Amino acid sequence: MSFLILDKVVKNFATTRAVDEVSFEVKPQTIFGMLGPNGAGKTTTIRIITTILTADSGSVLFNGQPLTELHAEEMGYMPEERGLYKKMKVWEQLVYLAQLKGMSGRDAKRSVFEWMEKFNIKDWWNKRVEELSKGMSQKVQFIATVIHRPKLIILDEPFSGLDPINSNLIKEEIEALRKNGATIIFSTHRMEQVEEICENIILINKGKVILNGGVSAIRHQFKQNEFSIRYEGRAPQLPADRFPVVRTENQEMIVKIEDHFSSIDLMRELVNQEVEVKSYNEILPTLNEIFITQVEGKSHE
Amino acid sequence: MNKILLIIRREYMTRVKKRIFLVTTLLAPLSIAVITLLPAYLSTHGKQEEKIALYDESGIFSSKMENRDHLTFGHINTANVPYDSLKKNYTASGFSGILRIPADFSISQPLSIEYFSTDQLGLMTQGGIENQMNEVLRKERLRAANISPEVMEQLNVPVKIIQADLSQSTAQTSTILAYVMGFMIYIVMITYGMMVMQGVMEEKKNRIAEVITSSVKPFQLMMGKIVGIALVGLTQFLIWIVLSGAVISLLKGLYGGDMNDMQQMQGMNAPQQDLPFIAGFLTDLDKLPLALLAFGFVFFFLGGYLLYASIFAAIGAASGEEGDQSLTFIATAPIIISILIMVSVLNQPNSRLAVITSLIPFCSPIIMVGRLPFGPPAWQIILSGVLLIAGFVFTVWVAGKIYRTGILMYGKKITFREMMKWVRY
């Protein structure tokens, strides 16, 4: 049973259709990647999920129930453009935002100090946000997003502006939250992070879902049947009609296997030629490559 | 706790806790008090004593000039002291100047009086001297015309106009009160309206609006801000009312407790300025329906504030990061026009212009408040109030729609027409 189900969600603005029959499902306790170029409709989709906007048509199921504004308290949303009151003290701000999410004042206060301790910013509790460094206010923003123990956490570019240490800290926290029962939607342009963190992704372009599935399934779906062969000594002489060479450099050869042939055929050929193979790998396209070809391909149509 | 209450509390507390709030709250009435009290104080206490040598060769004035209002006369015996020697030593004798009336001075042609001094004669002092001399001359002329002092006394009883329809008050006091209240509403509506607009723009610019609207409805956020800032305004008013109460009782103490005495004094020497004027203002103030004025003031302030603050909020939401002058003008223009109309309306508080503009919700907060001290008919006050309520319900509704769309719209310059389109979403 999926935690969040969007079914043919449509949102129109004055002249444009920002979200065009978007459907996807997010399984509970997974990290779900939402990808797409700027203006693809990611933010609008997120705003529909967070009940900031209502869909013109289509349906959203949250934890099995039709989405209502009451569910907003069970969600935590960190927008890409971070938002905090600059003049407010860190702890006051966090308590305020937690209370708006339905926490009691006392509960919020205790929770705020626990998180600040965890993130090593306890000494800054009484500072104004404008006095914090960018990384520190990022942490505050993250705390604000998760303080009320939301069931669904939506993070838009959570690592932008963070140094590797803090990036790791946040990454570990996201993983811990997932283990403790939260479902996470993660919107980003940074494909290597998606490959590393997400189980399932969708790719949105111009309001439409153009890819939807597991990360490795998608990579296999778009593979070009290319293999990398590292060798020592004599280079293999491969028949161009069956195994055309894409490129060769430094004792490494990238070879494409044509249709009707398989990896076994290629290996047999290498063995026959007595090539000293050091490594043999299938080359899967990166999400980045898929992203670019898909987005460009669609826009050329 | 209700979420809108949380928002109201935050909007209120962040502003009231600021140092600038305390400073402006205390400085504003202080400066008003200084502006009104200082001239009054200076006119009674600030003057320097002036001693003038009266060198009267004609003998008409010598014994008749009185010492009053920091002005004393030293009568010089013209037989013993030659004018030239007096001119040399008058300062040594403590005089600030010599007033010389020549021997050929005539009461029918009083032209040849000269004042000799190295210092310029002050305007007030000169006026004081001239007044006294005129009084003396008038008496002399009447005597020359064989009119007895008793007849003169009877001739001098002045007329006094009492406005029967303004039984509670006098026009002058009402006008002053109308000005003060009208301008206060004007200033407060603009400054607090702008405060709402700034707050909305800040939230939009910080993108905190996006975080907050994922917790509460945009309308709650807008109303929370508007109400929170209104409470800041009311707090300020409350402090001012307490302070002005203190100032009025201080004034009463300063200018003597017995107001009846003051009125008599006012009747006696009518043009004699500040002291009886303030006393008169204070006695008139007691006669005005202060409770109605205070209630009307707060009611029309709140109504007008809600009406304009919602417009300011919508504009703040629609404008970009730097604000939008032309959109802001949509809100400030009717406020400015209202105050201009009010100034002219005060001369004729029951004219048709006054009645009509005090019913229009965009003007009534200023103009009806300006008319209140003149006692407009009750039906006009009630109708104006009802229309104002309807007016702000409408603008809050429209503004809510614009706000909802504008607060999440970035990087686009919004025209007035687009803003109106959002209303229909």
Side-chain angles (χ1 to χ4, degrees):
Chain A
M1 176 70 188
S2 295
F3 187 80
L4 184 76
I5 303 170
L6 273 76
D7 187 30
K8 292 189 176 162
V9 170
V10 173
K11 180 74 189 176
N12 295 305
F13 291 121
T15 51
T16 50
R17 174 164 283 202
V19 177
D20 191 1
E21 297 203 346
V22 165
S23 306
F24 62 88
E25 297 189 11
V26 183
K27 293 196 177 65
Q29 279 189 271
T30 58
I31 302 177
F32 183 85
M34 194 186 270
L35 318 176
N38 293 326
K42 280 179 299 176
T43 306
T44 308
T45 306
I46 290 174
R47 283 178 181 169
I48 289 168
I49 298 169
T50 53
T51 73
I52 295 175
L53 296 174
T54 40
D56 294 339
S57 66
S59 67
V60 183
L61 286 183
F62 183 93
N63 206 3
Q65 301 161 320
L67 182 72
T68 68
E69 273 153 13
L70 295 175
H71 292 122
E73 289 188 358
E74 298 175 43
M75 294 185 223
Y77 172 36
M78 181 157 105
E80 178 178 4
E81 299 276 355
R82 307 289 186 259
L84 291 170
Y85 289 107
K86 293 199 166 53
K87 304 273 177 200
M88 251 178 131
K89 303 239 168 96
V90 171
W91 74 277
E92 282 178 331
Q93 175 135 238
L94 286 172
V95 169
Y96 173 65
L97 291 173
Q99 282 180 303
L100 284 183
K101 284 287 186 189
M103 272 184 125
S104 75
R106 180 184 298 183
D107 210 8
K109 239 173 257 176
R110 192 182 330 111
S111 202
V112 162
F113 283 96
E114 278 170 17
W115 275 100
M116 285 201 289
E117 194 148 6
K118 191 184 272 181
F119 275 8
N120 255 330
I121 50 171
K122 208 177 165 197
D123 296 341
W124 297 81
W125 67 282
N126 208 20
K127 291 265 192 269
R128 288 160 193 248
V129 172
E130 60 188 354
E131 298 172 67
L132 302 184
S133 71
K134 198 176 174 206
M136 253 186 285
S137 62
Q138 256 342 28
K139 287 181 184 173
V140 173
Q141 189 89 49
F142 185 81
I143 296 174
T145 310
V146 301
I147 184 143
H148 55 291
R149 295 182 276 275
K151 290 183 181 143
L152 178 66
I153 300 169
I154 301 173
L155 306 168
D156 203 346
E157 298 289 355
F159 304 113
S160 75
L162 284 180
D163 61 43
I165 295 169
N166 285 322
S167 251
N168 246 350
L169 187 71
I170 299 280
K171 212 182 288 174
E172 280 165 19
E173 275 317 317
I174 292 174
E175 185 53 32
L177 287 163
R178 189 193 65 77
K179 273 190 192 136
N180 288 328
T183 305
I184 292 144
I185 294 178
F186 176 28
S187 163
T188 185
H189 306 118
R190 305 265 301 271
M191 299 301 155
E192 73 281 5
Q193 287 173 347
V194 176
E195 277 168 64
E196 190 180 344
I197 296 174
C198 300
E199 248 173 76
N200 291 291
I201 59 159
I202 54 165
L203 175 58
I204 302 181
N205 191 33
K206 296 188 173 166
K208 289 191 164 126
V209 177
I210 56 177
L211 277 180
N212 186 350
V215 171
S216 64
I218 286 175
R219 289 182 67 187
H220 277 281
Q221 187 188 331
F222 286 92
K223 68 184 177 190
Q224 302 286 318
N225 264 349
E226 287 176 357
F227 287 78
S228 138
I229 304 155
R230 285 188 151 279
Y231 55 88
E232 263 185 19
R234 192 166 51 84
Q237 303 295 317
L238 296 171
D241 56 333
R242 284 180 289 163
F243 311 113
V245 177
V246 179
R247 62 177 187 274
T248 317
E249 56 187 53
N250 250 348
Q251 312 267 304
E252 183 185 6
M253 190 177 267
I254 311 292
V255 176
K256 185 171 164 64
I257 301 176
E258 290 291 358
D259 292 349
H260 313 300
F261 299 97
S262 70
S263 174
I264 297 170
D265 297 327
L266 176 58
M267 281 166 88
R268 196 174 286 134
E269 186 69 36
L270 292 170
V271 172
N272 286 343
Q273 293 187 16
E274 293 183 346
V275 177
E276 202 175 323
V277 174
K278 289 286 167 191
S279 74
Y280 181 85
N281 288 308
E282 182 176 24
I283 295 177
L284 287 176
T286 62
L287 278 180
N288 205 29
E289 286 161 349
I290 297 170
F291 180 93
I292 290 167
T293 53
Q294 286 301 300
V295 170
E296 285 187 341
K298 299 286 171 190
S299 52
H300 285 316
E301 274 171 15
Chain B
M1 198 196 254
N2 191 337
K3 286 178 186 176
I4 197 160
L5 287 180
L6 283 168
I7 296 169
I8 292 170
R9 192 181 65 179
R10 195 202 80 88
E11 296 294 336
Y12 178 79
M13 291 309 287
T14 48
R15 286 181 173 80
V16 171
K17 273 199 289 186
K18 271 188 198 160
R19 206 172 295 126
I20 187 83
F21 173 79
L22 196 69
V23 172
T24 50
T25 306
L26 294 180
L27 278 188
L30 197 69
S31 56
I32 291 172
V34 166
I35 289 165
T36 50
L37 284 179
L38 200 64
Y41 179 83
L42 287 181
S43 68
T44 49
H45 302 280
K47 268 187 205 156
Q48 211 182 328
E49 293 290 332
E50 278 202 271
K51 201 173 162 194
I52 287 166
L54 188 65
Y55 195 79
D56 185 8
E57 292 166 358
S58 68
I60 296 172
F61 297 97
S62 48
S63 57
K64 290 166 188 130
M65 298 294 275
E66 292 166 13
N67 299 334
R68 52 164 96 135
D69 286 349
H70 311 279
L71 189 61
T72 52
F73 294 99
H75 301 278
I76 310 295
N77 192 335
T78 50
N80 296 345
V81 184
Y83 186 55
D84 285 339
S85 74
L86 182 64
K87 270 165 97 174
K88 279 175 199 142
N89 324 324
Y90 74 96
T91 43
S93 318
F95 294 114
S96 49
I98 312 165
L99 193 65
R100 184 189 185 199
I101 299 110
D104 60 351
F105 181 81
S106 102
I107 56 169
S108 52
Q109 277 197 308
L111 293 173
S112 47
I113 297 172
E114 66 171 33
Y115 179 76
F116 177 87
S117 175
T118 49
D119 298 325
Q120 183 73 36
L121 189 62
L123 205 62
M124 296 282 279
T125 318
Q126 185 173 346
I129 298 171
E130 282 172 357
N131 277 346
Q132 278 209 43
M133 296 183 89
N134 281 332
E135 264 175 62
V136 173
L137 284 176
R138 205 158 61 98
K139 280 182 189 158
E140 288 301 317
R141 286 180 196 135
L142 286 167
R143 190 178 301 152
N146 277 327
I147 295 168
S148 71
E150 289 77 33
V151 175
M152 216 167 74
E153 201 62 24
Q154 285 168 8
L155 285 173
N156 260 352
V157 176
V159 69
K160 209 162 186 200
I161 296 172
I162 295 161
Q163 295 202 354
D165 59 327
L166 275 180
S167 53
Q168 298 164 309
S169 137
T170 72
Q172 196 185 32
T173 303
S174 298
T175 307
I176 292 169
L177 216 58
Y179 260 106
V180 170
M181 296 203 306
F183 268 96
M184 261 171 97
I185 292 223
Y186 164 77
I187 292 165
V188 166
M189 230 153 56
I190 288 217
T191 50
Y192 284 89
M194 290 285 193
M195 210 185 269
V196 170
M197 191 175 80
Q198 294 293 336
V200 171
M201 278 168 57
E202 190 207 343
E203 277 171 355
K204 184 178 173 178
K205 194 175 158 190
N206 280 352
R207 314 286 161 129
I208 184 99
E210 193 143 357
V211 177
I212 307 258
T213 49
S214 70
S215 305
V216 302
K217 287 186 189 172
F219 188 76
Q220 289 176 304
L221 178 59
M222 183 182 90
M223 283 316 285
K225 180 174 291 295
I226 290 175
V227 173
I229 292 177
L231 292 178
V232 177
L234 287 177
T235 307
Q236 207 157 37
F237 281 155
L238 196 72
I239 296 172
W240 285 346
I241 286 168
V242 170
L243 281 179
S244 56
V247 167
I248 286 174
S249 46
L250 187 81
L251 274 177
K252 282 181 177 173
L254 248 173
Y255 291 102
D258 195 342
M259 289 298 153
N260 290 328
D261 276 2
M262 292 297 170
Q263 270 185 310
Q264 279 167 15
M265 276 175 68
Q266 195 180 23
M268 265 162 53
N269 35 357
Q272 278 265 332
Q273 310 83 21
D274 297 317
L275 187 136
F277 165 73
I278 288 176
F281 181 77
L282 292 176
T283 39
D284 284 348
L285 211 55
D286 285 343
K287 286 190 248 158
L288 282 168
L290 286 179
L292 173 76
L293 288 183
F295 174 78
F297 182 78
V298 170
F299 174 82
F300 281 98
F301 158 69
L302 281 181
Y305 166 80
L306 280 174
L307 186 139
Y308 278 106
S310 58
I311 297 176
F312 275 115
I315 290 169
S319 47
E321 319 223 319
E322 272 78 47
D324 191 321
Q325 293 292 333
S326 57
L327 283 182
T328 311
F329 192 64
I330 294 170
T332 48
I335 304 181
I336 294 167
I337 291 169
S338 300
I339 196 77
L340 294 177
I341 295 174
M342 187 201 79
V343 170
S344 75
V345 153
L346 289 189
N347 294 322
Q348 290 172 297
N350 289 304
S351 64
R352 185 181 296 175
L353 177 72
V355 173
I356 291 171
T357 52
S358 65
L359 293 179
I360 299 171
F362 287 93
C363 315
S364 62
I366 288 176
I367 294 170
M368 186 45 99
V369 163
R371 289 181 67 206
L372 276 182
F374 298 97
W379 70 267
Q380 287 179 13
I381 305 179
I382 292 165
L383 181 60
S384 170
V386 170
L387 287 176
L388 182 59
I389 291 173
F392 79 65
V393 168
F394 176 72
T395 56
V396 164
W397 178 76
V398 168
K401 299 242 173 187
I402 295 172
Y403 181 88
R404 200 180 57 185
T405 309
I407 194 87
L408 298 173
M409 188 87 81
Y410 299 113
K412 201 172 153 203
K413 200 161 162 60
I414 305 302
T415 63
F416 182 69
R417 273 179 64 189
E418 270 173 289
M419 232 166 86
M420 289 298 108
K421 251 188 235 160
W422 296 348
V423 176
R424 276 180 271 134
Y425 277 174

